[in-house]
Amino acid sequence: MSISSQEICILPNKNNLALLQTNGMPGNLYNICSNLPATPTRLERLLRDRELRKYSKCLNDCEAELPSSTQDCFSPDLETSTCWFNDEELLEPVSASRSLNDDGERLDFRASKQRLLVVANRLPVSAVRHGEDSWQLEMSVGGLVTALLGVKEFDTRWIGWAGVNVPDEIGQKALAKALDEKRCIPVFLDEEVVHQYYNGYCNNILWPLFHYIGLPQEDRLATTRSFQSQFDAYKKANQLFADVVNEHYEEGDVVWCHDYHLMFLPKCLKERNSKMKVGWFLHTPFPSSEIHRMLPSRLELLRSVLAADLVGFHTYDYARHFVSACTRILGLEGTPEGVEDQGKLTRIAAFPVGIDSERFIKALELPEVQDHMKVLKQRFAGRKVMLGVDRLDMIKGIPQKILAFEKFLEENPNWRNKVVLLQIAVPTRTDVPEYQKLTSQVHEIVGRINGRFGSLTAVPIHHLDRSLDFHELCALYAVTDVALVTSLRDGMNLVSYEYVACQESKKGVLILSEFAGAAQSLGAGAILVNPWNVTEVASSIGYALNMPADEREKRHHHNFKHVISHTAQEWAATFVSELNVTIVEAQLRTRQIPPPLPIEVAVDRYSCSNNRLLILGFNATLTEPVDTLGRKDSQINEWEPKLRPDLQEPLRKLCDDPKTTVLILSGSARNVLDDNFSDYNLWLAAENGMFLRVTTGDWMTTMPENLSMEWVDSVKNVFEYFTDRTPRSQFEVRETSLIWNYKYSDVEFGRLQARDLLQHLWTGPISNASLDVVQGRRSVEVRSVAVTKGAAIDRILGEIVHNKGMKEPIDYVLCIGHFLTKDEDIYTFFEPELPSEVPASVRPQVPTQVRTSTAGSRAALLLKRNSMSAVEQNKSYSIDGDTLHLMVTDRISFQEGSSVLDLQANDYFSCSVARKRSNSRYRLQSSDEVVTLLRELADHR
């Protein structure tokens, strides 16, 4: 590359850094550290990083080629900022600068390269042992190796199995030392693990499944019997890989796991270090959820992969299948960005791999390649050359390709002496019976066709059961008129890329299977075919051979442009860049996630208080965790929620404590709470606080006076209609709301039905009503506007204070629940008012103010209460068949309940259960942690 000194001088420095930015992106060090920096979007980060990579490459090329005197034209105080962020300071860029010291000497303070640990089943070397402590190593040439060797901005190290069994310690140390010179780190696996893990689970179970190949009938029972031992070996091998990664991991490293051999690895790594940057990429297709769900270990594998921060696939189809599997099999929420599980987002994206196109283009100029081309042109002079280059594998569609060529020769006798098919079939897994049968089948078909259409001087098919060296292959690509790729199922197929890269002169035609991943990248310039349709492929061969020159040139130009711009190096750099950005976004999201509840602190403050209020939710808080997919009896259990048996004793102790008031605040109906808590001395608030009673008394209502229930019948009709149309859905009529639940329906169909249901509601029954439609994870609830837990708590608190005759202020509040977002106003009810100068969107994790019974705070609480006027005669509704009956109960006497709150900031604990996105101060992972907390409280009364 040649660049003039004038061109060099316009490269970025602190005066023209805008060249590195797009509109709206953060600037350099000076403006990014402003008081309230604008957080860049994902697209801004990725675009900025792309520009910085281009600049870095340009700078390196310039410095490598230009003399030192010319390099001095660079600004001596050149400063640039990168898009990589420190873990501690997310908005502080890691910078690279160059300046002069006091003596006028140039100093280079470039940021050190980020370490990239590439973890794959096999190392990119083959090892042969010579003696006890001597090894001969030879670098392999493959797509992944080529891709990562071209990535210069990372300090790359490989971790993997060397492909040999090394049982002795001396041999292991010698091999590790030899591999270290190649920047490789070995994982040592014994023969039994390799047999069960690699030959068994990987090649006999996962590989066929991911390629839509069923097991031979005679092998199914044997595979079923040996499945568990193979899966155990698979997990053991993945753990061995994880141990080696952990041994060599340094803080800030990026760990990139590859392929179906290591699906368990992300989970193993994250369990050891949750802050580790982990990406996983699949080089094969990922099957549809209907195929993947047949795998007995389906749940564990999906969960393990989701532990990664970024999951990559070759095509959008594979990514879509993975998200669908997570949705249908795990019951998780799929989003446009990936898969979300309790606030943790695993980003799913497509990253089509490429080749080192420059290597192929330059190879065509080499003398040895030119010699090979000359020989081939002479050998096949006067005949069109068609080419197939494949591994001799079931998924490559070699028999289908040859049969289609036979069909073409049958239908086009004028082409029989004018075209030749060169088929390179590289042998693989020659010891496997199925592959031996395939080899025999291909040879039989080739022999039959050559005998039928050949002559003493020429045959239509030249079939080679061997690989070609690089120079021979490039020459063969260059002289070919039509390349034929008929994969039955292929992750990507880079032969098509290699062919296009070598065709700049001849501009040949590419016939490509629509089942190859490359079809989504090269489909516009190739002729796409269904390899199972022999007639269609034969017709496409004829079309390709007779294609006009101008059309050939247009098709080739489209494909060639893609191949040279989407290289293997760009693929690797883009994935790592995306992973770094994903980590930044995850850390930003983590700052918005409530921290885990400090149980020891909560228990200690509880012990020091004199008048405590415990507000507990019911569903998913005091009940057993429910299987979202409705297996066994979980669906029935969900419809009839029961208090966890291990909570009965600690809850009874807390209820019997005179210093503690326990309130169960739930959206459940009154009868559900009666069935579970009648034997306890506590308060029950049903239907989001609209009905209240102490277990020794009768139910009373807290509903506002103007609450109308006239809308119930019309909404009920809509819910009944959609329940009939949606299998395994159900609806429930409560006294203040109606709920349609599709938790156990087909996930995607349930979402579509819910969307349709909402349209019916908004355009019909509730179009002019004062109602709230609350969307849960897989439910739709219709309730009156005033019905929320936060709206009811002030009334409930007033009645509790009046009933118990409280004289001493409440000095400790613990509020725990798995509440809908609409009902999380209960958490903020006890929070102090934020000062006006603090933006409303900023919520402190641990408030520093104090809510007391001062006139100001009491006025705020009374204002909140007055906005929900009391009922002169309280009205409630009960269900008798399909009729709603009005009942009159005793009037609640509203006291100055709120005025007895005397909460210091560190005496209030709001805590969400199994929800990471919440307005609460803290979170608990599950109801199991609720059990632990209540037991601790019960023991420290």
Side-chain angles (χ1 to χ4, degrees):
M1 185 176 70
S2 176
I3 299 180
S4 67
S5 59
Q6 183 179 2
E7 288 173 314
I8 295 173
C9 290
I10 65 169
L11 288 172
N13 56 35
K14 71 178 182 179
N15 297 320
N16 54 30
L17 189 60
L19 291 175
L20 289 180
Q21 302 172 208
T22 60
N23 238 354
M25 293 189 187
N28 59 16
L29 290 172
Y30 303 108
N31 59 33
I32 200 172
C33 296
S34 59
N35 291 333
L36 289 173
T39 303
T41 65
R42 161 175 289 273
L43 181 60
E44 288 173 336
R45 290 191 184 100
L46 292 174
L47 287 175
R48 186 161 179 249
D49 177 51
R50 184 179 180 182
E51 293 301 315
L52 286 166
R53 287 207 309 270
K54 289 181 179 178
Y55 162 64
S56 177
K57 184 177 184 301
C58 179
L59 182 63
N60 291 334
D61 291 343
C62 290
E63 293 184 340
E65 297 182 14
L66 293 176
S68 57
S69 59
T70 309
Q71 293 178 18
D72 288 340
C73 71
F74 284 96
S75 173
D77 58 350
L78 176 69
E79 293 184 355
T80 63
S81 60
T82 76
C83 71
W84 309 131
F85 296 87
N86 295 326
D87 290 337
E88 299 298 327
E89 298 293 337
L90 295 179
L91 296 178
E92 179 181 340
V94 180
S95 65
S97 63
R98 176 181 297 174
S99 60
L100 301 178
N101 64 9
D102 294 337
D103 298 326
E105 297 174 344
R106 180 181 298 279
L107 298 178
D108 197 352
F109 300 110
R110 296 172 182 267
S112 60
K113 290 183 178 180
Q114 187 175 28
R115 286 215 326 168
L116 175 63
L117 302 183
V118 177
V119 192
N121 176 62
R122 288 292 298 270
L123 289 173
V125 298
S126 56
V128 179
R129 191 167 188 172
H130 297 286
E132 187 178 28
D133 59 353
S134 176
W135 290 88
Q136 178 183 347
L137 304 179
E138 184 177 345
M139 290 296 294
S140 305
V141 178
L144 180 60
V145 180
T146 304
L148 294 174
L149 288 179
V151 180
K152 306 299 184 183
E153 56 261 46
F154 302 105
D155 179 11
T156 306
R157 282 167 171 74
W158 288 76
I159 297 177
W161 177 48
V164 292
N165 181 34
V166 190
D168 59 299
E169 186 176 348
I170 295 177
Q172 291 182 1
K173 289 183 178 179
L175 180 57
K177 182 178 179 181
L179 288 171
D180 185 60
E181 298 177 0
K182 302 286 187 180
R183 307 180 72 80
C184 294
I185 303 167
V187 177
F188 295 105
L189 305 175
D190 60 53
E191 288 185 347
E192 179 60 24
V193 170
V194 170
H195 176 68
Q196 295 269 3
Y197 146 71
Y198 181 69
N199 298 326
Y201 194 78
C202 292
N203 288 342
N204 288 343
I205 296 177
L206 288 183
W207 190 90
L209 185 83
F210 283 13
H211 289 87
Y212 296 79
I213 298 176
L215 293 172
Q217 184 65 41
E218 61 270 20
D219 291 346
R220 285 180 181 169
L221 289 178
T223 300
T224 301
R225 285 194 297 267
S226 62
F227 172 83
Q228 190 57 48
S229 63
Q230 292 181 1
F231 185 55
D232 291 340
Y234 181 84
K235 292 192 289 186
K236 179 180 179 181
N238 275 247
Q239 186 59 58
L240 292 173
F241 276 85
D243 293 340
V244 175
V245 173
N246 288 319
E247 181 182 348
H248 293 85
Y249 174 80
E250 298 176 5
E251 186 176 355
D253 288 356
V254 170
V255 182
W256 191 2
C257 313
H258 287 271
D259 231 356
Y260 59 93
H261 311 89
L262 301 175
M263 294 181 74
F264 223 77
L265 184 57
K267 179 182 178 183
C268 297
L269 295 175
K270 285 290 190 175
E271 285 178 345
R272 182 76 66 89
N273 184 352
S274 61
K275 294 184 178 180
M276 188 181 291
K277 302 175 183 179
V278 179
W280 182 79
F281 190 89
L282 182 65
H283 293 268
T284 69
F286 191 88
S288 72
S289 60
E290 290 302 306
I291 298 293
H292 186 78
R293 72 190 308 169
M294 294 189 297
L295 190 64
S297 55
R298 57 192 182 180
L299 298 176
E300 291 179 89
L301 289 180
L302 290 176
R303 288 279 185 193
S304 300
V305 171
L306 287 176
D309 300 291
L310 175 64
V311 175
F313 300 91
H314 282 308
T315 72
Y316 170 74
D317 281 347
Y318 306 157
R320 177 172 54 84
H321 289 161
F322 181 81
V323 173
S324 177
C326 293
T327 301
R328 291 177 176 273
I329 297 173
L330 296 180
L332 301 179
E333 191 75 19
T335 71
E337 293 185 337
V339 177
E340 186 172 355
D341 183 12
Q342 299 299 331
K344 195 268 184 184
L345 177 66
T346 299
R347 178 156 176 77
I348 315 296
F351 302 90
V353 71
I355 62 171
D356 186 359
S357 55
E358 190 174 352
R359 177 171 176 251
F360 284 86
I361 295 171
K362 289 183 177 180
L364 297 179
E365 302 173 1
L366 298 176
E368 50 265 54
V369 176
Q370 292 289 332
D371 292 342
H372 284 301
M373 291 173 59
K374 184 177 180 180
V375 171
L376 290 170
K377 288 178 180 178
Q378 291 174 350
R379 174 68 178 82
F380 300 110
R383 305 175 76 181
K384 293 283 188 178
V385 178
M386 297 179 58
L387 175 65
V389 179
D390 307 277
R391 282 186 298 108
L392 191 53
D393 204 320
M394 271 97 64
I395 66 168
K396 295 300 182 178
I398 296 177
Q400 286 79 3
K401 178 190 305 183
I402 299 173
L403 290 174
F405 184 62
E406 180 184 31
K407 179 76 171 176
F408 169 74
L409 294 178
E410 288 177 352
E411 296 179 348
N412 300 273
N414 57 311
W415 276 101
R416 289 177 184 175
N417 295 318
K418 298 179 182 179
V419 63
V420 60
L421 172 61
L422 308 181
Q423 177 60 55
I424 311 300
V426 182
T428 179
R429 301 183 71 185
T430 54
D431 57 334
V432 178
E434 281 77 18
Y435 286 79
Q436 294 170 356
K437 292 178 184 178
L438 176 64
T439 302
S440 299
Q441 183 186 39
V442 170
H443 289 173
E444 179 184 345
I445 299 174
V446 171
R448 177 171 56 80
I449 296 175
N450 283 341
R452 182 181 176 188
F453 297 105
S455 65
L456 291 175
T457 58
V459 291
I461 301 177
H462 289 249
H463 181 88
L464 294 181
D465 281 329
R466 67 178 181 87
S467 60
L468 300 179
D469 67 34
F470 178 68
H471 294 148
E472 288 179 314
L473 186 61
C474 289
L476 196 54
Y477 282 143
V479 301
T480 297
D481 297 283
V482 177
L484 194 53
V485 178
T486 55
S487 303
L488 306 181
R489 191 72 61 173
D490 220 344
M492 195 64 183
N493 193 294
L494 295 180
V495 168
S496 55
Y497 278 64
E498 295 170 359
Y499 170 72
V500 170
C502 296
Q503 280 287 313
E504 182 60 10
S505 174
K506 197 158 193 176
K507 297 177 175 54
V509 182
L510 173 64
I511 299 176
L512 181 60
S513 167
E514 63 186 56
F515 299 114
Q520 295 199 15
S521 303
L522 304 180
I527 300 175
L528 295 184
V529 295
N530 177 0
W532 294 101
N533 189 337
V534 173
T535 303
E536 178 189 350
V537 178
S539 175
S540 298
I541 292 175
Y543 183 74
L545 292 173
N546 294 290
M547 185 178 292
D550 59 339
E551 183 179 350
R552 287 205 317 269
E553 185 169 356
K554 288 179 181 178
R555 287 178 177 269
H556 171 76
H557 176 74
H558 182 279
N559 286 343
F560 188 76
K561 183 178 179 181
H562 179 88
V563 169
I564 63 174
S565 59
H566 293 76
T567 63
Q569 295 82 5
E570 184 65 23
W571 164 77
T574 300
F575 185 92
V576 178
S577 172
E578 185 95 14
L579 177 57
N580 276 289
V581 172
T582 299
I583 294 295
V584 171
E585 293 179 342
Q587 291 171 337
L588 290 172
R589 280 194 302 271
T590 300
R591 290 188 170 187
Q592 301 167 357
I593 295 174
L597 176 68
I599 293 181
E600 291 184 4
V601 176
V603 172
D604 179 65
R605 300 306 302 172
Y606 175 86
S607 302
C608 298
S609 58
N610 295 311
N611 190 8
R612 310 131 174 173
L613 174 63
L614 306 185
I615 304 173
L616 307 176
F618 181 44
N619 284 34
T621 304
L622 305 180
T623 60
E624 292 279 4
V626 177
D627 181 358
T628 59
L629 298 179
R631 297 189 180 91
K632 298 180 181 178
D633 61 348
S634 60
Q635 186 170 355
I636 297 175
N637 290 339
E638 169 104 339
W639 290 349
E640 299 176 0
K642 298 293 183 182
L643 176 69
R644 293 179 59 137
D646 50 1
L647 272 174
Q648 293 176 0
E649 182 181 353
L651 184 60
R652 195 174 302 279
K653 288 181 180 180
L654 292 171
C655 292
D656 293 340
D657 182 5
K659 292 183 178 181
T660 303
T661 301
V662 179
L663 168 66
I664 307 298
L665 181 56
S666 173
S668 299
R670 292 186 285 178
N671 64 301
V672 174
L673 298 187
D674 284 337
D675 293 343
N676 284 277
F677 299 102
S678 292
D679 297 334
Y680 297 86
N681 180 26
L682 47 70
W683 287 81
L684 300 176
E687 301 206 19
N688 300 304
M690 294 298 102
F691 299 97
L692 178 69
R693 84 174 178 104
V694 66
T695 49
T696 56
D698 297 325
W699 284 102
M700 61 192 79
T701 182
T702 67
M703 287 191 294
E705 180 179 9
N706 58 350
L707 190 66
S708 171
M709 301 294 291
E710 296 177 355
W711 51 270
V712 170
D713 287 337
S714 56
V715 173
K716 180 182 174 184
N717 290 335
V718 175
F719 279 11
E720 285 179 338
Y721 174 72
F722 278 91
T723 301
D724 292 340
R725 291 180 59 196
T726 312
R728 300 182 74 190
S729 68
Q730 54 139 356
F731 78 95
E732 180 182 355
V733 179
R734 296 177 180 172
E735 298 181 62
T736 58
S737 64
L738 276 76
I739 300 177
W740 181 67
N741 190 312
Y742 59 96
K743 185 171 187 177
Y744 299 105
S745 303
D746 179 90
V747 178
E748 295 181 7
F749 182 62
R751 283 196 195 130
L752 292 174
Q753 292 293 82
R755 189 183 309 163
D756 199 10
L757 179 146
L758 290 171
Q759 290 178 348
H760 277 74
L761 289 178
W762 287 119
T763 58
I766 66 172
S767 56
N768 296 314
S770 181
L771 299 172
D772 274 333
V773 177
V774 183
Q775 288 185 261
R777 187 179 176 189
R778 291 183 196 164
S779 65
V780 177
E781 180 179 2
V782 179
R783 60 167 84 156
S784 295
V785 171
V787 179
T788 68
K789 292 179 174 65
I793 189 60
D794 195 17
R795 303 167 185 276
I796 294 171
L797 188 59
E799 177 58 25
I800 291 176
V801 170
H802 170 67
N803 183 278
K804 298 187 72 169
M806 284 186 183
K807 303 300 181 183
E808 191 170 358
I810 295 174
D811 56 357
Y812 180 93
V813 174
L814 173 66
C815 182
I816 305 176
H818 180 81
F819 301 138
L820 295 172
T821 304
K822 179 73 176 178
D823 293 318
E824 287 200 341
D825 52 359
I826 181 68
Y827 295 141
T828 56
F829 176 84
F830 296 97
E831 291 284 7
E833 299 296 329
L834 292 174
S836 58
E837 63 271 15
V838 178
S841 59
V842 180
R843 178 177 57 83
Q845 294 287 358
V846 182
T848 56
Q849 294 186 346
V850 177
R851 178 184 290 278
T852 65
S853 57
T854 61
S857 61
R858 183 185 300 121
L861 288 170
L862 290 176
L863 179 62
K864 182 186 296 184
R865 178 188 306 155
N866 291 337
S867 67
M868 301 173 289
S869 57
V871 188
E872 290 297 327
Q873 270 198 339
N874 296 287
K875 300 181 178 72
S876 66
Y877 301 85
S878 66
I879 306 298
D880 180 10
D882 292 331
T883 307
L884 290 173
H885 294 286
L886 183 67
M887 300 185 300
V888 180
T889 61
D890 294 335
R891 175 183 176 185
I892 290 182
S893 300
F894 294 108
Q895 304 293 328
E896 291 289 336
S898 303
S899 65
V900 300
L901 284 174
D902 190 8
L903 280 179
Q904 302 297 320
N906 52 4
D907 288 324
Y908 172 51
F909 298 86
S910 59
C911 190
S912 59
V913 179
R915 283 186 183 276
K916 289 189 176 180
R917 293 183 179 178
S918 174
N919 292 323
S920 62
R921 290 188 179 187
Y922 305 103
R923 62 182 171 88
L924 292 172
Q925 291 284 57
S926 66
S927 62
D928 293 334
E929 293 189 3
V930 176
V931 174
T932 302
L933 172 62
L934 296 187
R935 281 177 175 169
E936 291 288 329
L937 294 177
D939 293 338
H940 290 78
R941 290 181 292 167

